[in-house]
Amino acid sequence: DDSEAGYWISCVGERSRTREGRAELVQKGFLDKEHEHLANPADVARRASLVALRYRVNKRLQRHLAAAGLVHGVDERCVLPKALGSPSASELMDEAARDQLQKERLAIVDNAFPGEVMLQMKQEMQAMRGERLLQNDPNDVCNPRQESRYLPYGAGDSSREFRERCPVTIQ
């Protein structure tokens, strides 16, 4: 849900009104130092809200990757971005998307995956969630609401079971 995004945005708006709040936004990385002294609090809030929204998108992406078994728990090594690379990735992104990715470290590419495939994957993850096979890690301070399950992709019963249970996700 987007309640976390709403929380951060409301905090940003509230803190943009005072000198102390703006200093906190700078200290926490929501606001560039050069924008701390803008006269209009709404201008400060807009700039800091963009960072808050990027934070939310990043956390949501981590949650989805964790649900798909691509990001492991806090104490384990995460999959590096280069491991998720695909030779066909350059075909998905036009020059504007590549520029945006380079500049902002985030680019949205509509229809990168067929909607039917994404729906099937979502249903597979929801089934696992309904059977309480996904667990959250309450000690994860960065993403406390994420749910995941470590499943080795190589061999063994867990891997075989995951391939049978989630054929679309494993692809």
Side-chain angles (χ1 to χ4, degrees):
D1 70 55
D2 287 325
S3 60
E4 183 181 2
Y7 169 77
W8 282 111
I9 291 169
S10 68
C11 287
V12 164
E14 181 180 302
R15 286 172 174 78
S16 67
R17 294 184 189 120
T18 66
R19 188 170 41 104
E20 295 80 17
R22 290 175 184 209
E24 182 182 0
L25 290 172
V26 169
Q27 187 263 332
K28 292 192 177 192
F30 283 98
L31 186 66
D32 290 336
K33 182 84 171 144
E34 66 190 35
H35 298 131
E36 184 177 5
H37 302 292
L38 291 172
N40 187 347
D43 291 337
V44 174
R46 264 192 295 279
R47 284 172 170 82
S49 292
L50 177 61
V51 176
L53 286 171
R54 284 186 188 145
Y55 171 83
R56 178 62 182 141
V57 168
N58 185 38
K59 292 301 162 189
R60 180 175 279 184
L61 177 62
Q62 287 176 356
R63 187 174 69 236
H64 288 286
L65 290 175
L70 298 175
V71 176
H72 304 303
V74 175
D75 295 327
E76 301 174 36
R77 292 183 62 191
C78 291
V79 174
L80 296 174
K82 67 182 177 182
L84 299 174
S86 168
S88 63
S90 61
E91 298 170 15
L92 294 173
M93 300 179 75
D94 60 16
E95 186 175 343
R98 287 191 299 269
D99 290 345
Q100 181 182 8
L101 180 63
Q102 185 175 17
K103 180 181 175 188
E104 300 185 28
R105 300 180 61 202
L106 176 69
I108 297 171
V109 179
D110 291 329
N111 301 314
F113 299 99
E116 181 180 297
V117 170
M118 296 306 295
L119 179 61
Q120 290 172 344
M121 188 173 96
K122 179 180 178 182
Q123 290 168 343
E124 291 174 357
M125 292 296 102
Q126 286 175 332
M128 288 183 71
R129 182 185 220 188
E131 295 174 37
R132 298 193 179 278
L133 295 174
L134 301 178
Q135 303 169 355
N136 80 328
D137 179 359
N139 296 319
D140 183 348
V141 296
C142 294
N143 198 5
R145 297 180 68 190
Q146 62 87 18
E147 294 178 328
S148 62
R149 180 173 183 187
Y150 175 70
L151 295 169
Y153 285 103
D157 291 339
S158 294
S159 179
R160 180 189 47 75
E161 180 184 324
F162 184 70
R163 283 193 303 273
E164 290 171 1
R165 177 184 297 275
C166 302
V168 174
T169 301
I170 197 71
Q171 291 177 5

